[in-house]
PDB file of all heavy atoms in Angstrom:
ATOM      1  N   PRO A1704      -8.243  -2.902  12.682  1.00 85.00           N
ATOM      2  CA  PRO A1704      -7.252  -1.825  12.635  1.00 85.00           C
ATOM      3  C   PRO A1704      -7.728  -0.548  13.312  1.00 85.00           C
ATOM      4  O   PRO A1704      -6.923   0.194  13.875  1.00 85.00           O
ATOM      5  CB  PRO A1704      -7.040  -1.606  11.130  1.00 85.00           C
ATOM      6  CG  PRO A1704      -7.528  -2.838  10.472  1.00 85.00           C
ATOM      7  CD  PRO A1704      -8.617  -3.376  11.351  1.00 85.00           C
ATOM      8  N   SER A1705      -9.044  -0.271  13.261  1.00 83.00           N
ATOM      9  CA  SER A1705      -9.544   0.954  13.882  1.00 83.00           C
ATOM     10  C   SER A1705      -9.341   0.929  15.394  1.00 83.00           C
ATOM     11  O   SER A1705      -9.066   1.962  16.010  1.00 83.00           O
ATOM     12  CB  SER A1705     -11.031   1.147  13.547  1.00 83.00           C
ATOM     13  OG  SER A1705     -11.792   0.061  14.048  1.00 83.00           O
ATOM     14  N   SER A1706      -9.440  -0.249  16.005  1.00 83.00           N
ATOM     15  CA  SER A1706      -9.173  -0.348  17.444  1.00 83.00           C
ATOM     16  C   SER A1706      -7.688  -0.139  17.741  1.00 83.00           C
ATOM     17  O   SER A1706      -7.321   0.438  18.767  1.00 83.00           O
ATOM     18  CB  SER A1706      -9.621  -1.716  17.967  1.00 83.00           C
ATOM     19  OG  SER A1706     -11.020  -1.894  17.799  1.00 83.00           O
ATOM     20  N   ALA A1707      -6.822  -0.588  16.834  1.00 84.00           N
ATOM     21  CA  ALA A1707      -5.386  -0.368  17.026  1.00 84.00           C
ATOM     22  C   ALA A1707      -5.042   1.114  16.938  1.00 84.00           C
ATOM     23  O   ALA A1707      -4.063   1.571  17.532  1.00 84.00           O
ATOM     24  CB  ALA A1707      -4.596  -1.161  15.993  1.00 84.00           C
ATOM     25  N   LEU A1708      -5.856   1.876  16.195  1.00 88.00           N
ATOM     26  CA  LEU A1708      -5.591   3.310  16.078  1.00 88.00           C
ATOM     27  C   LEU A1708      -5.996   4.093  17.321  1.00 88.00           C
ATOM     28  O   LEU A1708      -5.645   5.268  17.453  1.00 88.00           O
ATOM     29  CB  LEU A1708      -6.339   3.878  14.864  1.00 88.00           C
ATOM     30  CG  LEU A1708      -5.719   3.628  13.484  1.00 88.00           C
ATOM     31  CD1 LEU A1708      -6.642   4.135  12.396  1.00 88.00           C
ATOM     32  CD2 LEU A1708      -4.369   4.307  13.385  1.00 88.00           C
ATOM     33  N   LEU A1709      -6.765   3.457  18.216  1.00 87.00           N
ATOM     34  CA  LEU A1709      -7.201   4.170  19.413  1.00 87.00           C
ATOM     35  C   LEU A1709      -6.006   4.668  20.219  1.00 87.00           C
ATOM     36  O   LEU A1709      -6.005   5.787  20.749  1.00 87.00           O
ATOM     37  CB  LEU A1709      -8.083   3.259  20.279  1.00 87.00           C
ATOM     38  CG  LEU A1709      -9.446   2.890  19.689  1.00 87.00           C
ATOM     39  CD1 LEU A1709     -10.154   1.912  20.604  1.00 87.00           C
ATOM     40  CD2 LEU A1709     -10.289   4.136  19.488  1.00 87.00           C
ATOM     41  N   GLU A1710      -4.975   3.842  20.315  1.00 86.00           N
ATOM     42  CA  GLU A1710      -3.799   4.241  21.082  1.00 86.00           C
ATOM     43  C   GLU A1710      -3.005   5.308  20.345  1.00 86.00           C
ATOM     44  O   GLU A1710      -2.439   6.211  20.955  1.00 86.00           O
ATOM     45  CB  GLU A1710      -2.911   3.021  21.347  1.00 86.00           C
ATOM     46  CG  GLU A1710      -1.707   3.340  22.235  1.00 86.00           C
ATOM     47  CD  GLU A1710      -0.835   2.126  22.483  1.00 86.00           C
ATOM     48  OE1 GLU A1710      -1.145   1.046  21.934  1.00 86.00           O
ATOM     49  OE2 GLU A1710       0.143   2.253  23.227  1.00 86.00           O
ATOM     50  N   VAL A1711      -2.978   5.222  19.018  1.00 88.00           N
ATOM     51  CA  VAL A1711      -2.224   6.199  18.232  1.00 88.00           C
ATOM     52  C   VAL A1711      -2.850   7.583  18.351  1.00 88.00           C
ATOM     53  O   VAL A1711      -2.146   8.595  18.485  1.00 88.00           O
ATOM     54  CB  VAL A1711      -2.178   5.751  16.749  1.00 88.00           C
ATOM     55  CG1 VAL A1711      -1.468   6.789  15.894  1.00 88.00           C
ATOM     56  CG2 VAL A1711      -1.498   4.399  16.632  1.00 88.00           C
ATOM     57  N   LEU A1712      -4.166   7.661  18.309  1.00 88.00           N
ATOM     58  CA  LEU A1712      -4.862   8.941  18.242  1.00 88.00           C
ATOM     59  C   LEU A1712      -5.406   9.392  19.590  1.00 88.00           C
ATOM     60  O   LEU A1712      -6.327  10.211  19.635  1.00 88.00           O
ATOM     61  CB  LEU A1712      -6.005   8.840  17.221  1.00 88.00           C
ATOM     62  CG  LEU A1712      -5.578   8.477  15.786  1.00 88.00           C
ATOM     63  CD1 LEU A1712      -6.781   8.394  14.879  1.00 88.00           C
ATOM     64  CD2 LEU A1712      -4.576   9.482  15.260  1.00 88.00           C
ATOM     65  N   ASP A1713      -4.851   8.896  20.673  1.00 87.00           N
ATOM     66  CA  ASP A1713      -5.264   9.332  22.003  1.00 87.00           C
ATOM     67  C   ASP A1713      -4.087  10.036  22.679  1.00 87.00           C
ATOM     68  O   ASP A1713      -3.084   9.404  23.012  1.00 87.00           O
ATOM     69  CB  ASP A1713      -5.704   8.131  22.844  1.00 87.00           C
ATOM     70  CG  ASP A1713      -6.363   8.572  24.147  1.00 87.00           C
ATOM     71  OD1 ASP A1713      -6.220   9.756  24.521  1.00 87.00           O
ATOM     72  OD2 ASP A1713      -7.010   7.725  24.790  1.00 87.00           O
ATOM     73  N   PRO A1714      -4.174  11.354  22.868  1.00 84.00           N
ATOM     74  CA  PRO A1714      -3.048  12.079  23.496  1.00 84.00           C
ATOM     75  C   PRO A1714      -2.690  11.565  24.884  1.00 84.00           C
ATOM     76  O   PRO A1714      -1.579  11.784  25.357  1.00 84.00           O
ATOM     77  CB  PRO A1714      -3.559  13.523  23.553  1.00 84.00           C
ATOM     78  CG  PRO A1714      -4.623  13.610  22.518  1.00 84.00           C
ATOM     79  CD  PRO A1714      -5.274  12.261  22.489  1.00 84.00           C
ATOM     80  N   GLU A1715      -3.625  10.871  25.546  1.00 85.00           N
ATOM     81  CA  GLU A1715      -3.338  10.339  26.882  1.00 85.00           C
ATOM     82  C   GLU A1715      -2.558   9.025  26.812  1.00 85.00           C
ATOM     83  O   GLU A1715      -2.084   8.537  27.841  1.00 85.00           O
ATOM     84  CB  GLU A1715      -4.660  10.102  27.633  1.00 85.00           C
ATOM     85  CG  GLU A1715      -5.508  11.351  27.814  1.00 85.00           C
ATOM     86  CD  GLU A1715      -4.783  12.392  28.671  1.00 85.00           C
ATOM     87  OE1 GLU A1715      -3.980  12.002  29.532  1.00 85.00           O
ATOM     88  OE2 GLU A1715      -5.016  13.593  28.460  1.00 85.00           O
ATOM     89  N   GLN A1716      -2.443   8.431  25.619  1.00 86.00           N
ATOM     90  CA  GLN A1716      -1.764   7.146  25.502  1.00 86.00           C
ATOM     91  C   GLN A1716      -0.596   7.149  24.523  1.00 86.00           C
ATOM     92  O   GLN A1716       0.346   6.372  24.693  1.00 86.00           O
ATOM     93  CB  GLN A1716      -2.758   6.062  25.024  1.00 86.00           C
ATOM     94  CG  GLN A1716      -3.955   5.858  25.922  1.00 86.00           C
ATOM     95  CD  GLN A1716      -4.876   4.786  25.381  1.00 86.00           C
ATOM     96  OE1 GLN A1716      -4.447   3.685  25.052  1.00 86.00           O
ATOM     97  NE2 GLN A1716      -6.160   5.097  25.258  1.00 86.00           N
ATOM     98  N   ASN A1717      -0.648   8.002  23.485  1.00 86.00           N
ATOM     99  CA  ASN A1717       0.327   7.845  22.404  1.00 86.00           C
ATOM    100  C   ASN A1717       1.741   8.293  22.754  1.00 86.00           C
ATOM    101  O   ASN A1717       2.639   8.192  21.925  1.00 86.00           O
ATOM    102  CB  ASN A1717      -0.146   8.548  21.120  1.00 86.00           C
ATOM    103  CG  ASN A1717      -0.283  10.047  21.295  1.00 86.00           C
ATOM    104  OD1 ASN A1717       0.142  10.625  22.295  1.00 86.00           O
ATOM    105  ND2 ASN A1717      -0.890  10.693  20.305  1.00 86.00           N
ATOM    106  N   TYR A1718       1.951   8.790  23.977  1.00 87.00           N
ATOM    107  CA  TYR A1718       3.323   9.090  24.385  1.00 87.00           C
ATOM    108  C   TYR A1718       4.117   7.794  24.623  1.00 87.00           C
ATOM    109  O   TYR A1718       5.348   7.828  24.740  1.00 87.00           O
ATOM    110  CB  TYR A1718       3.333   9.948  25.654  1.00 87.00           C
ATOM    111  CG  TYR A1718       2.809   9.247  26.878  1.00 87.00           C
ATOM    112  CD1 TYR A1718       3.652   8.526  27.724  1.00 87.00           C
ATOM    113  CD2 TYR A1718       1.457   9.295  27.207  1.00 87.00           C
ATOM    114  CE1 TYR A1718       3.166   7.867  28.839  1.00 87.00           C
ATOM    115  CE2 TYR A1718       0.956   8.640  28.311  1.00 87.00           C
ATOM    116  CZ  TYR A1718       1.824   7.937  29.136  1.00 87.00           C
ATOM    117  OH  TYR A1718       1.337   7.269  30.246  1.00 87.00           O
ATOM    118  N   ALA A1719       3.419   6.660  24.692  1.00 87.00           N
ATOM    119  CA  ALA A1719       4.088   5.364  24.885  1.00 87.00           C
ATOM    120  C   ALA A1719       3.423   4.339  23.971  1.00 87.00           C
ATOM    121  O   ALA A1719       2.939   3.304  24.413  1.00 87.00           O
ATOM    122  CB  ALA A1719       4.010   4.923  26.330  1.00 87.00           C
ATOM    123  N   PHE A1720       3.405   4.634  22.671  1.00 89.00           N
ATOM    124  CA  PHE A1720       2.800   3.720  21.696  1.00 89.00           C
ATOM    125  C   PHE A1720       3.612   2.429  21.622  1.00 89.00           C
ATOM    126  O   PHE A1720       4.838   2.449  21.531  1.00 89.00           O
ATOM    127  CB  PHE A1720       2.738   4.385  20.325  1.00 89.00           C
ATOM    128  CG  PHE A1720       2.311   3.465  19.221  1.00 89.00           C
ATOM    129  CD1 PHE A1720       1.027   2.955  19.175  1.00 89.00           C
ATOM    130  CD2 PHE A1720       3.202   3.096  18.219  1.00 89.00           C
ATOM    131  CE1 PHE A1720       0.622   2.093  18.170  1.00 89.00           C
ATOM    132  CE2 PHE A1720       2.819   2.246  17.201  1.00 89.00           C
ATOM    133  CZ  PHE A1720       1.527   1.746  17.176  1.00 89.00           C
TER     134      PHE A1720
END
Side-chain angles (χ1 to χ4, degrees):
S1705 61
S1706 298
L1708 282 175
L1709 292 176
E1710 184 180 2
V1711 177
L1712 301 179
D1713 190 345
E1715 300 297 330
Q1716 301 180 51
N1717 63 10
Y1718 67 90
F1720 172 67

